[in-house]
Amino acid sequence: MSNRVVLDGPDILRALRRISHEILEANEGPENLVILGIPTRGVELAKRIVEILEAIEPNQIIEFGILDITMYRDDLVNAEREILETSLPISGIDNKVVVLVDDVLFSGRTVRAALDALTGYGRPKQVKLAVLVDRGHRELPIRPDFVGKNLPTSVAERVSVQLLGSDGIDQVVISG
């Protein structure tokens, strides 16, 4: 099995900076913006995006949260998975622009679960999707608004995002 690094630390930082600028441009600024990370690596990516946004807009506090989607998944029938805590900003998500952040977009099922989970917490004005890697092969009609890197892959290949906070290194690896 061969492993190929397709993004390294500086590449990931550049992608997150670009995504952050695109988020601000699409939202016409930081007002009414909530960045929600989808566990596990989407949370670290979301935190980094918030840090970049706050560096770009130093007089603004960007609202951040964590959206656990475990109970909304339809593709974990027999698998056990730890249920994590959802943590939303105190002001909630009603009438806000919510940007969901995840590491890899593949089938679209994680995003569908996240949309289902959001409905239990309020009604955002708009929901957008930011992903570090879009590898194609969608099973559902879901498309990201902000993409760090499009990686055409075969279904047999595996895309692994490794981040400093959880893996000790920043890189995206394709194996298979």
Side-chain angles (χ1 to χ4, degrees):
M1 181 177 348
S2 66
N3 289 342
R4 182 170 45 110
V5 175
V6 291
L7 293 174
D8 60 12
D11 295 330
I12 291 173
L13 179 59
R14 261 189 308 280
L16 293 177
R17 284 182 179 153
R18 184 172 24 79
I19 287 170
S20 299
H21 281 281
E22 289 174 358
I23 288 169
L24 284 176
E25 185 177 332
N27 195 52
E28 297 179 354
E31 293 77 25
N32 292 317
L33 190 61
V34 176
I35 308 295
L36 294 181
I38 299 173
T40 54
R41 286 168 184 77
V43 174
E44 185 174 342
L45 293 170
K47 286 179 183 175
R48 291 186 192 186
I49 288 171
V50 167
E51 289 171 4
I52 294 167
L53 291 171
E54 289 179 343
I56 297 167
E57 297 281 343
N59 297 324
Q60 296 287 325
I61 295 174
I62 308 298
E63 293 186 291
F64 165 79
I66 299 169
L67 182 65
D68 181 48
I69 53 118
T70 305
M71 298 304 295
Y72 296 89
R73 302 237 10 166
D74 66 354
D75 56 350
L76 295 176
V77 178
N78 294 321
E80 285 189 29
R81 188 164 170 178
E82 179 184 3
I83 297 174
L84 304 170
E85 184 176 338
T86 291
S87 168
L88 298 179
I90 293 172
S91 65
I93 61 169
D94 287 333
N95 298 314
K96 305 272 180 83
V97 175
V98 172
V99 179
L100 297 172
V101 180
D102 204 5
D103 56 351
V104 178
L105 178 58
F106 182 37
S107 67
R109 293 191 177 281
T110 297
V111 177
R112 186 218 39 92
L115 293 170
D116 287 348
L118 268 181
T119 62
Y121 295 103
R123 184 165 184 202
K125 175 182 176 185
Q126 195 173 34
V127 178
K128 300 210 174 240
L129 176 61
V131 296
L132 181 60
V133 174
D134 182 356
R135 62 173 292 193
H137 306 289
R138 225 70 85 238
E139 295 173 5
L140 300 170
I142 290 174
R143 186 178 61 117
D145 300 284
F146 313 106
V147 179
K149 178 86 171 165
N150 286 295
L151 287 177
T153 61
S154 78
V155 175
E157 290 177 308
R158 178 170 163 73
V159 175
S160 173
V161 173
Q162 300 166 355
L163 299 174
L164 278 172
S166 53
D167 307 295
I169 188 169
D170 276 345
Q171 65 181 11
V172 176
V173 178
I174 295 180
S175 56

